[in-house]
């Protein structure tokens, strides 16, 4: 009997160990892991440099509270602001907490309460971030939501123009809607959104929880489009597996989050920021990111070539190493079959297969994953004819 709330639909695999792109189950079976812990272990499992940084900090102290100046926090914040070309950081424990803080920041900075988000978006499961999320299934059973969120269709500029007025505190979006099905923002739409925010005095906020920290081939996904947001949020890949989140903001917002305005007991925990430093130093390196882009081009080419003759494949889309394969069938049975074959991948909605391989994955590992996907989709399509 489990004493855990049945909050998650568990897979049949019990992890025993993991290294690089691979995970081993307690049954001794080896799996190619193209989930990266849902976009978290961007350097693969247990990278040596991150492990050494954590062990070094373990021998110093684990927690002291944010009343102290912690050098590792300052170093991690400096790396983040340099990578994002922004100015200040607030550390939290998760992406949901980072988005919650960003929502508070927008309301306090502008004195307004209305925030526009987008249908099929996902921003978290706290009460404010659940309300911000544009998916009804996330909200089912929790009663009335906060009434200050307005949802418009993604990539629909006319709908945004109709909703954006002087009473809006912020527009919050994902450059790529991850949980919503791997939908990439249109460049014109994104740039016009930024322009409209400035016109109406609203903050332009980008949720980079899943797309950030090199996942798309740049430090942050917004940089592919030449955007200049007021606030971005980060979490998943930030410390390669240790719990951490961050709000990154412009100079103009510095005093809005002054003493007493917000807080987090464990935010910026010494172990987490110790892990973040080598993670960021590795991923934000230009050569490393160039290799991510090369792998991305290779992965997309292989998927399009190898899956071209499989009729159930509708679309292959994404950016960097964040890929969605839309199919005309429900994904759970297919993903289970692929796990049986030794490949762990995800869904993004009911009919999109999501690939989030480690940024360190080799071309041989990419080839192996593509061949297993091809085999799995072909066998499923034949079996259901």
């Amino acid at each position: 009997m489990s004493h855990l709330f049945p909050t998650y639909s568990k897979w049949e695999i019990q992890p025993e160990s993991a290294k690089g792109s691979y995970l081993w189950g307690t049954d001794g079976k080896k799996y190619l892991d193209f989930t990266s812990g849902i976009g978290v272990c961007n350097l693969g499992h247990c990278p040596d440099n991150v492990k050494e940084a954590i062990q070094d900090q373990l021998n110093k102290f684990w927690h002291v509270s944010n009343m102290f100046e912690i050098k590792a926090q300052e170093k991690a914040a400096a790396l983040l602001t340099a990578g994002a070309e922004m100015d200040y950081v607030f550390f939290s424990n998760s992406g949901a907490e980072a988005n919650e803080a960003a929502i508070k920041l927008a309301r306090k900075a502008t004195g307004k309460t209305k925030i526009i988000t987008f249908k099929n978006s996902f921003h978290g499961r706290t009460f404010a971030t659940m309300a911000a999320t544009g998916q009804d299934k996330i909200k089912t059973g929790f009663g009335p939501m906060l009434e200050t969120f307005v949802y418009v269709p993604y990539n629909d500029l006319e709908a945004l123009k109709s909703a954006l007025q002087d009473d809006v505190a912020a527009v919050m979006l994902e450059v790529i809607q991850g949980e919503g099905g791997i939908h990439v923002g249109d460049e014109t739409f994104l740039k016009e959104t930024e322009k409209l925010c400035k016109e109406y005095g609203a903050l332009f906020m980008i949720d980079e929880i899943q797309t950030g920290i090199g996942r798309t081939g740049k430090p942050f996904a917004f940089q592919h489009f030449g955007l200049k947001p007021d606030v971005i949020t980060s979490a998943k890949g930030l410390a390669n597996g240790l719990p951490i989140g961050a709000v990154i903001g412009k100079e103009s917002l510095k005093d809005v989050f002054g003493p007493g305005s917000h807080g987090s007991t464990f935010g910026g925990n010494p172990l987490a920021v110790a892990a973040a430093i080598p993670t960021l130093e590795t991923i934000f390196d230009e050569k490393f990111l160039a290799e991510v882009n090369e792998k991305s081009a290779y992965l997309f080419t292989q998927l399009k070539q190898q899956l071209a003759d499989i009729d159930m494949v509708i679309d292959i889309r994404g950016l960097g190493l964040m890929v969605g394969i839309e199919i005309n069938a429900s994904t759970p049975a297919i993903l289970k079959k692929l796990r049986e074959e030794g490949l762990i991948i995800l869904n993004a909605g009911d009919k999109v297969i999501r690939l989030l391989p480690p940024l360190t994955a080799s071309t041989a590992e990419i080839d192996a994953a593509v061949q297993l996907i091809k085999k799995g989709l072909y066998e499923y399509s034949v079996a259901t004819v």
Side-chain angles (χ1 to χ4, degrees):
M1 172 184 171
S2 173
H3 294 281
L4 296 170
F5 274 107
T7 309
Y8 305 100
S9 298
K10 301 284 190 178
W11 291 339
E12 64 284 353
I13 302 168
Q14 293 187 31
E16 176 68 23
S17 62
K19 184 67 177 176
S21 299
Y22 295 94
L23 180 149
W24 286 263
T26 53
D27 59 358
K29 187 171 180 177
K30 181 181 178 181
Y31 299 88
L32 180 57
D33 182 3
F34 265 37
T35 72
S36 301
I38 315 185
V40 169
C41 299
N42 286 1
L43 294 177
H45 292 289
C46 304
D48 291 339
N49 60 338
V50 178
K51 180 179 178 181
E52 290 168 7
I54 296 167
Q55 289 177 328
D56 183 59
Q57 186 61 49
L58 272 171
N59 292 326
K60 295 177 179 177
F61 57 90
W62 304 353
H63 176 81
V64 290
S65 91
N66 283 311
M67 302 305 292
F68 293 86
E69 182 176 334
I70 300 170
K71 289 183 179 180
Q73 284 186 355
E74 293 288 351
K75 186 170 183 178
L79 289 165
L80 278 172
T81 54
E85 298 176 285
M86 298 175 80
D87 301 296
Y88 288 96
V89 173
F90 171 83
F91 285 115
S92 64
N93 303 291
S94 68
E97 285 187 22
N99 283 338
E100 182 92 16
I103 290 165
K104 289 178 65 176
L105 179 62
R107 291 173 61 136
K108 193 168 188 288
T110 63
K112 298 181 282 189
T113 59
K114 187 182 291 185
I115 294 176
I116 295 174
T117 62
F118 294 86
K119 293 180 180 180
N120 293 319
S121 61
F122 182 82
H123 297 294
R125 296 180 186 272
T126 65
F127 221 84
T129 58
M130 177 173 60
T133 293
Q135 299 186 53
D136 289 341
K137 67 181 181 181
I138 303 298
K139 309 169 189 180
T140 301
F142 294 104
M145 293 289 108
L146 296 178
E147 297 177 352
T148 55
F149 291 94
V150 176
Y151 317 98
V152 300
Y154 194 51
N155 279 333
D156 188 333
L157 188 57
E158 293 307 312
L160 178 61
K161 287 179 178 178
S162 296
L164 187 49
Q165 305 294 331
D166 289 329
D167 62 347
V168 172
V171 175
M172 186 177 193
L173 59 79
E174 303 157 276
V175 171
I176 306 172
Q177 290 190 326
E179 304 300 322
I182 315 298
H183 296 288
V184 182
D186 175 76
E187 184 170 359
T188 298
F189 169 78
L190 294 170
K191 288 183 173 179
E192 285 297 311
T193 299
E194 179 185 341
K195 182 179 176 181
L196 286 166
C197 284
K198 290 178 180 176
E199 182 180 337
Y200 285 96
L203 295 187
F204 182 38
M205 305 201 304
I206 299 181
D207 177 340
E208 290 266 7
I209 304 304
Q210 190 167 155
T211 54
I213 319 300
R215 174 53 55 184
T216 66
K218 286 187 178 291
F220 296 96
F222 74 85
Q223 293 165 326
H224 288 278
F225 304 95
L227 304 173
K228 295 187 181 301
D230 299 294
V231 176
I232 65 172
T233 53
S234 177
K236 284 181 179 292
L238 181 47
N240 212 72
L242 268 69
I244 190 171
V247 179
I248 310 168
K250 288 290 186 67
E251 166 75 32
S252 59
L253 298 169
K254 175 185 177 183
D255 294 332
V256 179
F257 255 15
S261 60
H262 193 56
S264 173
T265 296
F266 295 110
N269 172 269
L271 295 175
V273 291
I277 290 167
T279 299
L280 295 171
E281 287 176 335
T282 301
I283 292 175
F284 286 179
D285 179 76
E286 289 185 8
K287 182 179 178 182
F288 183 93
L289 289 171
E291 291 173 355
V292 172
N293 285 305
E294 290 171 5
K295 292 172 188 177
S296 170
Y298 184 77
L299 174 58
F300 274 97
T301 297
Q302 291 303 307
L303 286 170
K304 289 175 180 178
Q305 289 179 353
Q306 297 298 323
L307 306 185
D309 296 331
I310 299 178
D311 291 338
M312 68 186 299
V313 175
I314 297 171
D315 191 22
I316 300 170
R317 57 181 179 259
L319 193 61
L321 291 177
M322 184 175 180
V323 183
I325 305 169
E326 185 176 353
I327 59 175
N328 63 3
S330 186
T331 58
I334 296 170
L335 299 189
K336 186 176 188 299
K337 175 64 176 175
L338 287 170
R339 291 195 297 272
E340 291 171 357
E341 295 291 330
L343 175 65
I344 308 173
I345 52 178
L346 297 159
N347 65 308
D350 186 51
K351 294 186 177 182
V352 176
I353 294 170
R354 176 172 33 159
L355 305 182
L356 297 170
L359 306 184
T360 52
S362 67
T363 53
E365 290 164 349
I366 290 172
D367 286 339
V370 170
Q371 289 303 313
L372 286 169
I373 292 167
K374 179 181 180 180
K375 179 175 182 285
L377 291 177
Y378 175 75
E379 290 179 352
Y380 183 86
S381 62
V382 169
T384 52
V385 169

